[in-house]
Amino acid sequence: MAGKIRQYLSLSGGALLLGAVLMVGAIAVVFGGEHALSRTEFCVSCHSQTYPYEELKKSSHYGALGADPGCKDCHVPQGLGNFHLALWTHMYDGTRAVLAEMKYDYSTVEKFNERRQIMAHYARMSLKNWDSVTCRDCHKNTKPPGASAKAAHMKMETEGATCIDCHQNLVHKKVPESDLNASKAQGTMVLKEATEKD
């Protein structure tokens, strides 16, 4: 009887050890892969992404307060609490981007611009769905200047707005703004109605 117990423990201990090694390996692959896919160098390895990256480097966000943000800082939620969003972003948005890269000709910025509006819309909807978590990572405890800015920021509490609802076209080439609430409700891109100041 004691021999059978030792044999069982030996087999189950080996299985547990093997399981633990495989689990650690899987975790390392997932976290390592996520880190590798979040690097700006990986993003701009697709020629089409060099256009928005050059725009980023000319924007007010680049070099501000000594920070040089990369693609992930805006387009991939960071931190352990948002890891599920980062994985989803790479699986869903990444797959869509790779398929578009194969389907469309982005060999010139003019050809890229033909699809810029829809790509901007997809990025904006991601930010909307994440409650602009990537904006909030850097912009903590914002203090909007002036009464109109304070009133606009109250929309976050009263209307379920988030940063991207009002702050579109900050980094990349300007395209017409999306009405993100209407787009979400209708399941398709809805542009904001032009106002007199536009």
Side-chain angles (χ1 to χ4, degrees), residues 6 43 89 98 124 136 172 177 197:
R6 275 196 298 272
C43 297
T89 297
V98 168
R124 291 167 179 168
R136 297 171 194 277
H172 302 298
E177 295 187 3
K197 70 176 186 174

PDB file of all heavy atoms in Angstrom, residues 6 43 89 98 124 136 172 177 197:
ATOM      1  N   ARG A   6       3.451   6.081  -2.682  1.00  0.00           N
ATOM      2  CA  ARG A   6       4.668   6.751  -3.167  1.00  0.00           C
ATOM      3  C   ARG A   6       4.640   6.887  -4.686  1.00  0.00           C
ATOM      4  O   ARG A   6       5.011   7.916  -5.233  1.00  0.00           O
ATOM      5  CB  ARG A   6       5.910   5.971  -2.714  1.00  0.00           C
ATOM      6  CG  ARG A   6       6.391   6.328  -1.334  1.00  0.00           C
ATOM      7  CD  ARG A   6       7.812   5.829  -1.086  1.00  0.00           C
ATOM      8  NE  ARG A   6       7.928   4.386  -1.157  1.00  0.00           N
ATOM      9  CZ  ARG A   6       7.733   3.549  -0.122  1.00  0.00           C
ATOM     10  NH1 ARG A   6       7.429   4.035   1.057  1.00  0.00           N
ATOM     11  NH2 ARG A   6       7.855   2.262  -0.273  1.00  0.00           N
ATOM     12  N   CYS A  43       4.955  48.492 -34.374  1.00  0.00           N
ATOM     13  CA  CYS A  43       3.836  49.160 -35.065  1.00  0.00           C
ATOM     14  C   CYS A  43       4.278  49.744 -36.402  1.00  0.00           C
ATOM     15  O   CYS A  43       3.595  49.583 -37.410  1.00  0.00           O
ATOM     16  CB  CYS A  43       3.261  50.270 -34.191  1.00  0.00           C
ATOM     17  SG  CYS A  43       2.546  49.697 -32.636  1.00  0.00           S
ATOM     18  N   THR A  89      -7.166  44.356 -27.730  1.00  0.00           N
ATOM     19  CA  THR A  89      -6.743  45.339 -28.731  1.00  0.00           C
ATOM     20  C   THR A  89      -5.831  44.697 -29.758  1.00  0.00           C
ATOM     21  O   THR A  89      -5.989  44.895 -30.959  1.00  0.00           O
ATOM     22  CB  THR A  89      -6.025  46.521 -28.046  1.00  0.00           C
ATOM     23  OG1 THR A  89      -6.946  47.162 -27.177  1.00  0.00           O
ATOM     24  CG2 THR A  89      -5.511  47.517 -29.058  1.00  0.00           C
ATOM     25  N   VAL A  98      -3.900  44.302 -39.776  1.00  0.00           N
ATOM     26  CA  VAL A  98      -3.089  43.448 -40.654  1.00  0.00           C
ATOM     27  C   VAL A  98      -3.877  43.083 -41.913  1.00  0.00           C
ATOM     28  O   VAL A  98      -3.340  43.116 -43.026  1.00  0.00           O
ATOM     29  CB  VAL A  98      -2.614  42.179 -39.907  1.00  0.00           C
ATOM     30  CG1 VAL A  98      -2.037  41.149 -40.866  1.00  0.00           C
ATOM     31  CG2 VAL A  98      -1.575  42.547 -38.852  1.00  0.00           C
ATOM     32  N   ARG A 124     -10.980  56.109 -32.356  1.00  0.00           N
ATOM     33  CA  ARG A 124     -11.801  56.901 -31.436  1.00  0.00           C
ATOM     34  C   ARG A 124     -12.808  56.020 -30.695  1.00  0.00           C
ATOM     35  O   ARG A 124     -13.052  56.205 -29.498  1.00  0.00           O
ATOM     36  CB  ARG A 124     -12.544  57.993 -32.210  1.00  0.00           C
ATOM     37  CG  ARG A 124     -11.630  59.070 -32.758  1.00  0.00           C
ATOM     38  CD  ARG A 124     -12.343  59.941 -33.760  1.00  0.00           C
ATOM     39  NE  ARG A 124     -11.462  60.987 -34.276  1.00  0.00           N
ATOM     40  CZ  ARG A 124     -11.757  61.741 -35.316  1.00  0.00           C
ATOM     41  NH1 ARG A 124     -12.902  61.582 -35.956  1.00  0.00           N
ATOM     42  NH2 ARG A 124     -10.916  62.667 -35.719  1.00  0.00           N
ATOM     43  N   ARG A 136      -6.207  59.096 -19.606  1.00  0.00           N
ATOM     44  CA  ARG A 136      -6.196  59.311 -18.156  1.00  0.00           C
ATOM     45  C   ARG A 136      -4.900  58.832 -17.502  1.00  0.00           C
ATOM     46  O   ARG A 136      -4.576  59.269 -16.398  1.00  0.00           O
ATOM     47  CB  ARG A 136      -7.395  58.604 -17.520  1.00  0.00           C
ATOM     48  CG  ARG A 136      -8.728  59.148 -17.982  1.00  0.00           C
ATOM     49  CD  ARG A 136      -9.862  58.251 -17.473  1.00  0.00           C
ATOM     50  NE  ARG A 136     -11.105  58.509 -18.122  1.00  0.00           N
ATOM     51  CZ  ARG A 136     -11.948  59.470 -17.779  1.00  0.00           C
ATOM     52  NH1 ARG A 136     -11.644  60.286 -16.808  1.00  0.00           N
ATOM     53  NH2 ARG A 136     -13.084  59.627 -18.428  1.00  0.00           N
ATOM     54  N   HIS A 172      -2.889  63.374 -34.712  1.00  0.00           N
ATOM     55  CA  HIS A 172      -2.731  63.019 -36.123  1.00  0.00           C
ATOM     56  C   HIS A 172      -3.443  64.027 -37.025  1.00  0.00           C
ATOM     57  O   HIS A 172      -4.157  64.904 -36.555  1.00  0.00           O
ATOM     58  CB  HIS A 172      -3.257  61.602 -36.366  1.00  0.00           C
ATOM     59  CG  HIS A 172      -2.565  60.575 -35.516  1.00  0.00           C
ATOM     60  ND1 HIS A 172      -1.214  60.329 -35.616  1.00  0.00           N
ATOM     61  CD2 HIS A 172      -3.034  59.753 -34.543  1.00  0.00           C
ATOM     62  CE1 HIS A 172      -0.882  59.392 -34.746  1.00  0.00           C
ATOM     63  NE2 HIS A 172      -1.957  59.032 -34.077  1.00  0.00           N
ATOM     64  N   GLU A 177     -14.737  65.104 -37.150  1.00  0.00           N
ATOM     65  CA  GLU A 177     -14.943  64.424 -35.871  1.00  0.00           C
ATOM     66  C   GLU A 177     -16.161  63.513 -35.914  1.00  0.00           C
ATOM     67  O   GLU A 177     -17.135  63.795 -36.609  1.00  0.00           O
ATOM     68  CB  GLU A 177     -15.084  65.452 -34.752  1.00  0.00           C
ATOM     69  CG  GLU A 177     -13.816  66.249 -34.527  1.00  0.00           C
ATOM     70  CD  GLU A 177     -13.881  67.149 -33.310  1.00  0.00           C
ATOM     71  OE1 GLU A 177     -14.899  67.137 -32.588  1.00  0.00           O
ATOM     72  OE2 GLU A 177     -12.883  67.850 -33.066  1.00  0.00           O
ATOM     73  N   LYS A 197     -18.196  77.467 -35.732  1.00  0.00           N
ATOM     74  CA  LYS A 197     -16.752  77.657 -35.506  1.00  0.00           C
ATOM     75  C   LYS A 197     -15.914  76.687 -36.330  1.00  0.00           C
ATOM     76  O   LYS A 197     -14.750  76.881 -36.514  1.00  0.00           O
ATOM     77  CB  LYS A 197     -16.411  77.534 -34.020  1.00  0.00           C
ATOM     78  CG  LYS A 197     -16.541  76.149 -33.460  1.00  0.00           C
ATOM     79  CD  LYS A 197     -16.086  76.116 -32.016  1.00  0.00           C
ATOM     80  CE  LYS A 197     -16.077  74.678 -31.507  1.00  0.00           C
ATOM     81  NZ  LYS A 197     -15.531  74.552 -30.196  1.00  0.00           N
TER      82      LYS A 197
END
